Amino acid sequence: MSEEHAIQVEELSKKFGHFQAVDSISFNVKRGTIFGLLGANGAGKSTTIRMLCGLLPPTSGSASVSSCRVEKDPEGVKRKIGYMSQEFSLYNDLTVEENIRFFGGVYGLSEEGLRERRDWILSMSGLRKRRTSLTSELSGGMKQRLALGCAVIHSPPIVFLDEPTGGVDPVSRREFWNLINDFADEGITVLVTTHYMDEAEYCNELVFMHAGRIIAQGSPEQIKKSYRKGSFYEVECDRPFECISVLKESEDIIDVSLFGTRLHVHSGESSDGVCSRVEAAGIQVHTIHTVQPGLEDIFIGLIEHSRSGEAGA
């Protein structure tokens, strides 16, 4: 295994019966970086992370995590990583401190080590005054921070976070990502799955997954540059849903999607051409202007392209 990489994945696949959940994916994760697995529900993200954590045996392919082969030594992998699932893996009928003590025991911490890590978790999570509260009484953001602390109580070099920000408010999401950045600054490797495109901007490297396959990978900027063909326009009109149908009939339109009450149009023609095409169908255009595509624009376009390929196969 490369000293530069904390995780190496090569042609990794997982089948459940006849269903191909993960289809021959390959990628590397550098040490001390934040690596994102992005995709909609059912894309194969959670299956991938569970294989890398030694929780699911792969059907084929190989992966190394902190120099342990997941297909040969899953128990060795588990000892070297921290894992936080989207359900937070906490015991609601235990207090905050009892949860910390339980996970410290699971990872075999000494009493001295447990006291040190307990104090760190209570400080990091802001739960020092809630240490005797039942976990069931905590807010979503508090549970999230406590779950993260319990997942890294044994100071692992690699942390896997599976949809860690689902179901929490935007402020808690931002605070959680500040913690993740702190971990990376300390040299900890973080692999996180998410379907929030704004969170992708926090990652050093990304993999976009769809239907079990990788459809794009690189840094956020690399992905934007690589797939930024044509022009992107934001269109405000009086009948947006009808406008989508009209634009999709044109070969010059690469992709069109609804963003709130406006349309984002990815096109190979000028804004005047797009405007003329829409108005020719009797739809009034209020505004149209060029915009810089975000990762969400890129991701939606890639999925549409992938689906078109599947339909034509």
Side-chain angles (χ1 to χ4, degrees):
M1 179 173 176
S2 168
E3 288 296 319
E4 181 186 9
H5 297 116
I7 302 169
Q8 289 183 299
V9 179
E10 188 172 350
E11 300 294 322
L12 195 67
S13 295
K14 182 64 181 179
K15 292 185 74 173
F16 297 100
H18 296 293
F19 175 64
Q20 187 81 51
V22 176
D23 191 359
S24 299
I25 64 172
S26 300
F27 60 85
N28 297 320
V29 181
K30 293 181 180 178
R31 297 184 187 278
T33 60
I34 303 172
F35 189 93
L37 281 180
L38 282 85
N41 291 334
K45 306 186 305 296
S46 292
T47 300
T48 298
I49 209 171
R50 288 175 66 82
M51 284 191 287
L52 296 180
C53 290
L55 300 173
L56 271 179
T59 303
S60 62
S62 64
S64 295
V65 176
S66 193
S67 301
C68 289
R69 295 284 290 274
V70 299
E71 67 274 20
K72 294 182 178 180
D73 188 15
E75 294 304 316
V77 170
K78 293 174 189 175
R79 289 191 293 270
K80 293 188 174 185
I81 65 168
Y83 171 62
M84 178 179 163
S85 71
Q86 49 194 309
E87 290 85 17
F88 295 165
S89 303
L90 296 171
Y91 293 91
N92 284 324
D93 55 346
L94 297 181
T95 67
V96 168
E97 194 160 6
E98 286 170 343
N99 263 293
I100 295 171
R101 178 166 290 278
F102 171 79
F103 282 98
V106 168
Y107 287 110
L109 268 64
S110 66
E111 278 298 320
E112 182 181 355
L114 177 59
R115 282 195 300 271
E116 181 181 324
R117 295 301 285 172
R118 178 197 61 199
D119 289 344
W120 175 80
I121 292 171
L122 291 173
S123 176
M124 176 272 291
S125 62
L127 292 172
R128 195 172 294 280
K129 294 182 179 179
R130 301 291 302 271
R131 64 198 301 166
T132 60
S133 298
L134 288 174
T135 304
S136 59
E137 299 171 351
L138 302 179
S139 68
M142 290 176 179
K143 286 183 179 180
Q144 179 195 56
R145 294 192 296 273
L146 176 59
L148 177 62
C150 290
V152 299
I153 195 169
H154 56 307
S155 303
I158 301 173
V159 181
F160 290 90
L161 307 174
D162 190 8
E163 300 281 357
T165 57
V168 298
D169 62 88
V171 173
S172 294
R173 282 175 56 199
R174 176 61 62 88
E175 291 174 348
F176 188 80
W177 274 96
N178 288 337
L179 291 174
I180 293 176
N181 278 305
D182 289 343
F183 283 177
D185 288 342
E186 294 170 7
I188 297 172
T189 305
V190 180
L191 189 149
V192 57
T193 70
T194 182
H195 57 266
Y196 293 116
M197 290 297 125
D198 60 320
E199 294 186 350
E201 299 284 358
Y202 298 127
C203 299
N204 302 113
E205 297 285 330
L206 300 171
V207 158
F208 281 172
M209 292 187 68
H210 172 65
R213 298 177 181 176
I214 292 176
I215 57 175
Q217 62 185 105
S219 69
E221 280 306 310
Q222 285 172 340
I223 289 175
K224 289 176 188 176
K225 289 178 181 178
S226 296
Y227 298 94
R228 193 182 294 165
K229 297 176 182 177
S231 299
F232 286 80
Y233 307 110
E234 185 172 86
V235 179
E236 186 178 7
C237 61
D238 59 352
R239 302 200 301 278
F241 290 102
E242 187 177 339
C243 185
I244 290 174
S245 299
V246 169
L247 290 173
K248 284 191 172 181
E249 291 176 358
S250 170
E251 293 182 356
D252 293 318
I253 302 299
I254 301 169
D255 181 57
V256 55
S257 53
L258 191 65
F259 277 68
T261 60
R262 294 173 170 81
L263 302 180
H264 278 200
V265 181
H266 185 188
S267 175
E269 61 182 351
S270 68
S271 59
D272 289 340
V274 172
C275 190
S276 298
R277 190 178 302 281
V278 173
E279 291 180 337
I283 301 170
Q284 183 178 1
V285 176
H286 302 310
T287 62
I288 179 170
H289 59 272
T290 302
V291 294
Q292 292 299 315
L295 286 172
E296 189 165 353
D297 294 293
I298 301 296
F299 185 57
I300 290 172
L302 287 169
I303 289 180
E304 290 296 326
H305 180 74
S306 179
R307 286 173 176 167
S308 299
E310 291 165 5

